[in-house]
Amino acid sequence: MTDAPLTAAVKAAAPAGPGPRARTTTRYLRYGAGKVGGAAVSLFAVLVTGFFLFRLIPGDPVKTMTGGRPVSAEQMAAYREEFGLDLPLWQQFTEYCGKALTGDLGTSYQFHAPVTDKIAEALPNTLLLTGTAFVLFTLLGIVLGTRSAWRHGGLGDRLNTGLALTLYSVPSFWLGLLLIIVFAVGIGPVPGLFPTGGMESGGEEGFAHVLDVAHHLVLPVVTLVAVEYGQTLLVARSALLDEMGGDYLTTARAKGLRDDQVRRRHAVPNALLPTVTLVFVNLGRTVAGVILVETVFSWPGLGGLFYQGLSVPDLPLVQGLFLFFAGTVIVMNTLADLVYPLLDPRVGR
Amino acid sequence: MSTSEQHGRARRRLVAATGAAALTLAAGLVPQQAAAADGDKVLTVAVAQSVDSLSPFLAQRLLSTSIHRLTYEYLTNYDPEDARAIPALATKWTSSPDKLTWTYTIRSNSSWSDGKRATAEDAAWTFNTMMTDPDAATANGSFVANFRKVTAPSPTKLVIELKKPQATMTALDVPIVPKHVWEKVDDYSEFNNDKKFPIVGNGPFILTDYKPDSYVRLKANKNFWRGAPKFDELVFRYYKDQDAAVAALRKGEVSFVSGSPSLTPAQASSLKSEKNIKVNDAPGRRFYALAVNPGARAKNGEKLGDGHPSLLDERVRHALFMAVDRKTIIDKVFQGYAVQGEGYIPPRFGSYFWEPSDGQELAYDPAKAARLLDEAGYKKNGDGKRLGKDGKPLDYRVLCHATDPNDKAIGQYLQEWWGDLGIDVTLNCLDNVTDPWLAGTYDLAFDGWSVNPDPDFVMSIHTCAALPATPKDTGATDNFICDKQYDELYAKQLAEYDPAKRADLVKQMQSRLYDLGYMNVMAYPNAVEAYRTDQIASITTMPEKAGNIYGQDGYWSWWSATPADGGDSGGSSSTGIVVGIVAGVVVLAGAGVFFALRRRSTAEDRE
């Protein structure tokens, strides 16, 4: 033990330095700051891209908006001035950036209302739809994925992955229409159980209203879950398969634990790590990716709003929504990055 | 974690899951139209278009302006039979001998829904606000652009002085708003009139509730001077997908579906065989045309764009006209849901409808078309291609809307028909055709407009005054047409207050437009819509004999609609029953799961 005094000396010489825990915290903060900084740069890039991208859309907003109505040239010029379209592009851009930094996304051309108001109006509806679907398809994906992996190669696994892959490749609007025909209108012996569209019948209050919204929620959620759970299932499945050769599982079995316990208490928690990233990314993506489902089911959410913005083109509205959608994905990715080292200390070192 | 804890958790999860499933299932049993109050007759209409604003000063879209027709009175309305102007808020009107002063008598039996009487003062205030505040002129400013002064000498007398004669004074599509409510508004550019309900109005319906892209609810105005509507409530419900809207009609969730602008032939045909559904295949108010770039230019004389020079020759335009088989277009593309086009204004506007005389008609005649092209000097070369003056084969760029299947289908026919003549066609199908259109960088373009009972607007877009001031500006022109003779006729009709004489002038303008060959009206697409006969017993179409229901000029359809006996769409007393069913199912399912888990756990304990 010749090095013992040396070790002791080193330890004694460094009493003022941060302890291991503090060092980890510093490292994590540095890692976190890097990620957050990266996110901020991405957000700025989105801000710039959004502005110029939507100016490439062919079309004159004023002409499209007033199309089919008797409008004099003077009035058209007045609109241009009102919307700031008569200003040079660089001036429009600096004004847009300045306002965006203060949370002002401008006024929608077609709705004569602040873009933030329009987003705030539609966001809860989208969150209700995507939130419900998100919880369900994540749980379903993880449960079925881990089960599939545990008995991989079996009939259950093949059926599970086969079905998930099939549904994953089905266009959501097509599946939605199919569900409407079968379960909303009714076909053969199947009665029309659910509404064909919308979020509420209107005029209901209290519990009846909750029930009414739940009723309207079923088909769009089923559609979203059906097309989305496959991805989680596949990732969870392959992650668990990677873990399955692990010695620690043999040890756990040797301790006499039941197969079910080995899976749930030892294998799955480790296999969940890669799934976490996917879950966060999905959360961001789902908010932006429900345009088709919202359209088929006439759900009054952000997807429909975006579509309306594009068809004019209502520049402030599409820019605002683009910023919001991209922002959600960036924030969710950053959150995933920040959470991951907490779950797996190897990351971020 | 002990085994019993695990079982407990598993059990709770299972019960929760089963409960949720049961709730979902039971929710499926909620009656579809539980929204209505007991016994109320509700008319539900499927719509797709979002409301842009509920302020009459801002709203421009068809749905929003239709809602304003239902909730506010205008000075005049249009007769459902022949679309001539009839009394509304004004009972009669006269013009001064110099044609510059119009005096309207305002009815004394129209009151706002808050009890106050609607007077000439309200009308004068509405017009004056539009004349003085640019924000208030957003939607309907063009109607007052020629007004000099508007006054209300008494509650029943409204006087409008004009700068120059204006024949559209009986077609002022401006909702008259209650002054006592609207004078409190600070900023007309931002006030959308959609926060406080019910909204004070004096039309046949009162707007009681609105949720963006979900629904618009209106209650019948029992005190409406013309008589209350027969349905108690009118609801516009949103279906963003037309197939979903058709599904909702099939199911009875909605009473009426119109499509935008029309149901597809496939949808119409499938609905025709359905019990309790009537497909209304009505003459449309739109025309569908092929527009020729007439050598685009601005008002200052500067040329813009790059339209093909050969198209400046009237013989070439007539040849192209004569090589289009409109009958085939009606039969194959519109599958019978359209009428062959002739004049510029569709036949449903009987007084203005015009047809070419026998000698004038440019009927389908490919052989004559070929001769005309030969005469014009565009002869075929050895490859069968016709050469332009520059020696290059003729190849026309045709602007088409990528979202319109009719454009694409007809485009292919054009390639075939004009190809036979030795002319190539390049279809330029774009999501938004506005840019090349405004820049004049096209040879031909698919064009179409909805026509109002007063034809002034669709005629005005072909006057020289509508051209852009300079190539950098945007004018109100549709297709850069500028013809002196046409302009003279236009000015005459605008100053002509005698309806018959004015109609004659409008026909002469159409004749001139036809002869010029810049606009080939190929079809008048039908308005195809459908409604449930077990919910709506009768409804007024416009024109009354055979016309459309949605988007009428006036409130006739929804005001006149009579509920069918069996079509009681109310009945929400079932909500209690439903809650009972849900509770019952949850309890039963919970009990079932509980016993199943007990059995399982005892079986495991035995192991």
Side-chain angles (χ1 to χ4, degrees):
Chain A
M1 287 295 198
T2 49
D3 62 337
L6 183 66
T7 314
V10 170
K11 274 185 185 162
R21 183 180 287 267
R23 266 204 303 278
T24 314
T25 311
T26 317
R27 199 181 294 134
Y28 179 72
L29 284 179
R30 196 177 300 141
Y31 165 85
K35 292 290 175 194
V36 172
V41 172
S42 306
L43 275 176
F44 182 72
V46 166
L47 197 72
V48 177
T49 318
F51 181 84
F52 290 103
L53 183 71
F54 293 112
R55 267 159 186 76
L56 293 180
I57 303 178
D60 174 348
V62 173
K63 179 83 178 172
T64 319
M65 270 163 43
T66 54
R69 295 189 62 80
V71 179
S72 66
E74 293 76 30
Q75 232 178 326
M76 290 243 188
Y79 286 141
R80 285 216 166 68
E81 198 186 327
E82 184 187 333
F83 300 143
L85 290 167
D86 55 337
L87 297 175
L89 201 60
W90 66 266
Q91 208 171 331
Q92 290 184 37
F93 178 65
T94 46
E95 274 188 19
Y96 157 76
C97 285
K99 280 185 177 173
L101 287 177
T102 59
D104 177 2
L105 295 176
T107 303
S108 156
Y109 297 161
Q110 52 182 328
F111 297 112
H112 309 278
V115 171
T116 41
D117 283 9
K118 293 305 289 181
I119 293 181
E121 204 173 82
L123 181 63
N125 304 342
T126 293
L127 284 183
L128 176 65
L129 173 59
T130 53
T132 315
F134 171 77
V135 170
L136 289 177
F137 73 66
T138 305
L139 288 180
L140 195 68
I142 291 175
V143 170
L144 292 181
T146 49
R147 267 164 207 266
S148 253
W150 204 248
R151 307 222 187 285
H152 63 97
L155 181 67
D157 176 32
R158 278 180 289 158
L159 278 179
N160 247 336
T161 43
L163 184 66
L165 275 175
T166 310
L167 288 174
Y168 186 52
S169 31
V170 161
S172 54
F173 70 91
W174 182 79
L175 183 67
L177 273 178
L178 213 65
L179 290 180
I180 289 178
I181 291 167
V182 177
F183 295 106
V185 181
I187 198 165
V190 184
L193 287 173
F194 300 100
T196 44
M199 192 175 117
E200 57 191 313
S201 309
E204 301 268 357
E205 275 170 24
F207 183 63
H209 180 244
V210 175
L211 207 66
D212 181 49
V213 173
H215 189 201
H216 283 80
L217 193 61
V218 176
L219 289 186
V221 162
V222 168
T223 310
L224 267 180
V225 169
V227 293
E228 292 286 347
Y229 87 97
Q231 203 187 3
T232 323
L233 180 144
L234 293 176
V235 171
R237 181 179 177 276
S238 70
L240 188 59
L241 279 178
D242 285 346
E243 294 295 328
M244 279 175 59
D247 290 340
Y248 69 99
L249 294 184
T250 317
T251 314
R253 282 201 187 87
K255 282 198 297 185
L257 289 180
R258 279 192 291 121
D259 195 46
D260 194 36
Q261 288 173 316
V262 175
R263 175 170 62 87
R264 282 205 311 231
R265 294 177 53 195
H266 292 269
V268 171
N270 282 324
L272 275 184
L273 285 171
T275 321
V276 169
T277 321
L278 181 76
V279 165
F280 274 101
V281 173
N282 270 348
L283 189 57
R285 209 172 54 100
T286 320
V287 171
V290 290
I291 296 182
L292 289 175
V293 174
E294 283 189 355
T295 307
V296 172
F297 289 100
S298 314
W299 195 265
L302 294 173
L305 197 60
F306 194 52
Y307 177 78
Q308 286 173 40
L310 276 176
S311 55
V312 168
D314 188 339
L315 293 176
L317 189 61
V318 285
Q319 272 164 202
L321 281 166
F322 179 73
L323 193 66
F324 180 81
F325 287 148
T328 323
V329 175
I330 291 172
V331 167
M332 286 304 156
N333 271 326
T334 314
L335 278 182
D337 283 340
L338 294 179
V339 168
Y340 211 88
L342 303 180
L343 299 175
D344 183 354
R346 286 168 300 181
V347 179
R349 279 189 184 158
Chain B
M1 197 194 301
S2 73
T3 318
S4 66
E5 266 175 352
Q6 279 179 26
H7 281 166
R9 187 176 284 186
R11 191 182 305 153
R12 279 197 298 276
R13 276 203 300 250
L14 239 164
V15 172
T18 318
L23 193 75
T24 300
L25 187 73
L29 301 172
V30 181
Q32 295 308 310
Q33 287 172 329
D38 290 341
D40 270 5
K41 302 279 186 185
V42 182
L43 173 58
T44 311
V45 176
V47 292
Q49 193 179 48
S50 294
V51 166
D52 52 350
S53 175
L54 285 176
S55 159
F57 294 119
L58 299 175
Q60 310 198 21
R61 294 193 175 163
L62 177 63
L63 176 64
S64 323
T65 50
S66 301
I67 290 170
H68 288 139
R69 252 297 173 197
L70 296 168
T71 51
Y72 297 101
E73 271 288 30
Y74 299 11
L75 285 183
T76 56
N77 205 333
Y78 301 99
D79 192 306
E81 205 177 305
D82 55 10
R84 75 191 153 83
I86 56 166
L89 187 60
T91 53
K92 55 182 187 197
W93 43 87
T94 51
S95 66
S96 62
D98 68 355
K99 297 185 174 184
L100 291 176
T101 305
W102 282 75
T103 308
Y104 298 81
T105 307
I106 302 297
R107 71 175 57 253
S108 47
N109 62 341
S110 173
S111 54
W112 300 110
S113 49
D114 61 2
K116 290 204 167 70
R117 195 180 130 190
T119 65
E121 181 62 26
D122 292 308
W125 183 86
T126 304
F127 289 124
N128 276 313
T129 307
M130 287 162 60
M131 286 157 65
T132 50
D133 185 332
D135 291 331
T138 302
N140 299 314
S142 64
F143 286 112
V144 298
N146 183 36
F147 286 13
R148 187 192 300 282
K149 196 174 162 202
V150 183
T151 50
S154 81
T156 54
K157 193 174 173 192
L158 176 77
V159 180
I160 301 180
E161 290 172 37
L162 301 173
K163 294 174 196 160
K164 56 181 191 218
Q166 181 176 330
T168 58
M169 290 302 286
T170 56
L172 298 173
D173 289 339
V174 178
I176 304 298
V177 300
K179 179 190 170 192
H180 64 282
V181 176
W182 284 80
E183 64 186 352
K184 292 171 193 151
V185 174
D186 293 333
D187 183 354
Y188 290 99
S189 73
E190 281 180 1
F191 181 73
N192 280 317
N193 196 25
D194 56 359
K195 294 287 184 284
K196 223 174 111 192
F197 297 99
I199 287 168
V200 179
N202 62 342
F205 288 91
I206 298 161
L207 186 49
T208 52
D209 195 8
Y210 159 65
K211 216 166 194 186
D213 290 345
S214 276
Y215 57 80
V216 186
R217 300 181 85 84
L218 303 116
K219 271 211 157 52
N221 179 359
K222 302 289 179 202
N223 301 319
F224 185 53
W225 68 269
R226 208 187 283 272
K230 319 280 190 305
F231 275 93
D232 301 298
E233 218 177 337
L234 170 63
V235 178
F236 293 103
R237 284 185 64 83
Y238 277 88
Y239 290 87
K240 293 283 179 184
D241 182 276
Q242 196 164 297
D243 286 320
V246 169
L249 180 78
R250 244 181 246 279
K251 194 185 174 191
E253 239 175 71
V254 296
S255 320
F256 177 90
V257 169
S258 69
S260 53
S262 198
L263 295 180
T264 65
Q267 286 168 337
S269 305
S270 81
L271 284 175
K272 266 184 180 163
S273 56
E274 201 91 357
K275 205 182 136 204
N276 293 334
I277 288 180
K278 181 177 162 47
V279 174
N280 184 38
D281 181 8
R285 58 188 304 168
R286 286 182 71 77
F287 68 77
Y288 182 86
L290 198 56
V292 178
N293 185 337
R297 60 190 150 120
K299 240 182 265 181
N300 64 1
E302 276 184 65
K303 287 198 165 56
L304 57 133
D306 56 2
H308 202 285
S310 64
L311 294 170
L312 299 178
D313 190 325
E314 195 174 276
R315 289 168 295 187
V316 175
R317 298 196 298 270
H318 283 181
L320 295 179
F321 219 128
M322 292 163 104
V324 171
D325 182 1
R326 286 169 293 161
K327 187 175 181 310
T328 298
I329 289 176
I330 303 301
D331 293 346
K332 304 287 183 199
V333 178
F334 289 97
Q335 293 179 35
Y337 292 101
V339 175
Q340 270 192 58
E342 302 199 77
Y344 191 64
I345 291 174
R348 64 175 282 164
F349 301 107
S351 47
Y352 297 113
F353 178 61
W354 167 90
E355 287 173 284
S357 60
D358 283 345
Q360 190 181 13
E361 196 182 2
L362 301 165
Y364 177 58
D365 188 346
K368 196 172 173 194
R371 280 203 303 278
L372 271 177
L373 288 170
D374 286 339
E375 275 173 36
Y378 297 95
K379 295 227 159 63
K380 279 187 180 178
N381 67 4
D383 298 335
K385 301 279 182 203
R386 285 186 194 270
L387 301 181
K389 305 281 172 187
D390 55 1
K392 287 185 191 153
L394 291 183
D395 184 354
Y396 294 137
R397 299 158 300 164
V398 179
L399 263 188
C400 90
H401 303 81
T403 47
D404 190 342
N406 292 337
D407 281 11
K408 290 185 185 167
I410 294 170
Q412 279 171 0
Y413 276 110
L414 291 182
Q415 283 174 328
E416 187 187 321
W417 293 328
W418 294 354
D420 288 346
L421 284 179
I423 297 171
D424 284 330
V425 171
T426 305
L427 282 180
N428 217 351
C429 295
L430 306 171
D431 280 328
N432 195 329
V433 296
T434 317
D435 261 8
W437 205 311
L438 288 179
T441 50
Y442 64 98
D443 298 323
L444 295 113
F446 287 100
D447 197 358
W449 288 90
S450 273
V451 179
N452 294 323
D454 190 290
D456 180 67
F457 174 65
V458 283
M459 306 310 287
S460 76
I461 57 180
H462 297 311
T463 58
C464 301
L467 291 177
T470 73
K472 279 185 185 165
D473 294 304
T474 307
T477 184
D478 172 46
N479 190 43
F480 299 100
I481 293 172
C482 174
D483 176 67
K484 215 177 144 212
Q485 201 177 324
Y486 180 90
D487 270 17
E488 281 166 11
L489 290 167
Y490 177 80
K492 268 194 209 162
Q493 67 83 30
L494 195 57
E496 181 53 68
Y497 287 181
D498 181 281
K501 285 184 189 158
R502 180 167 177 231
D504 185 52
L505 287 164
V506 169
K507 287 180 188 173
Q508 288 180 42
M509 290 168 73
Q510 294 181 73
S511 172
R512 176 67 186 157
L513 207 52
Y514 188 86
D515 288 343
L516 289 170
Y518 292 124
M519 299 289 296
N520 178 5
V521 177
M522 298 182 289
Y524 310 114
N526 291 0
V528 188
E529 42 197 14
Y531 64 90
R532 288 200 72 95
T533 49
D534 57 350
Q535 295 181 8
I536 302 174
S538 71
I539 192 161
T540 302
T541 59
M542 185 174 178
E544 220 162 350
K545 283 199 188 87
N548 62 304
I549 294 169
Y550 188 79
Q552 293 181 356
D553 301 292
Y555 37 63
W556 310 112
S557 48
W558 312 129
W559 173 72
S560 71
T562 323
D565 286 339
D568 183 8
S569 42
S572 71
S573 53
S574 43
T575 306
I577 302 170
V578 171
V579 174
I581 294 173
V582 172
V585 173
V586 169
V587 169
L588 276 178
V593 172
F594 177 71
F595 284 113
L597 284 174
R598 251 180 78 106
R599 279 194 59 183
R600 208 181 110 187
S601 69
T602 46
E604 276 178 9
D605 287 345
R606 277 201 301 274
E607 281 170 20

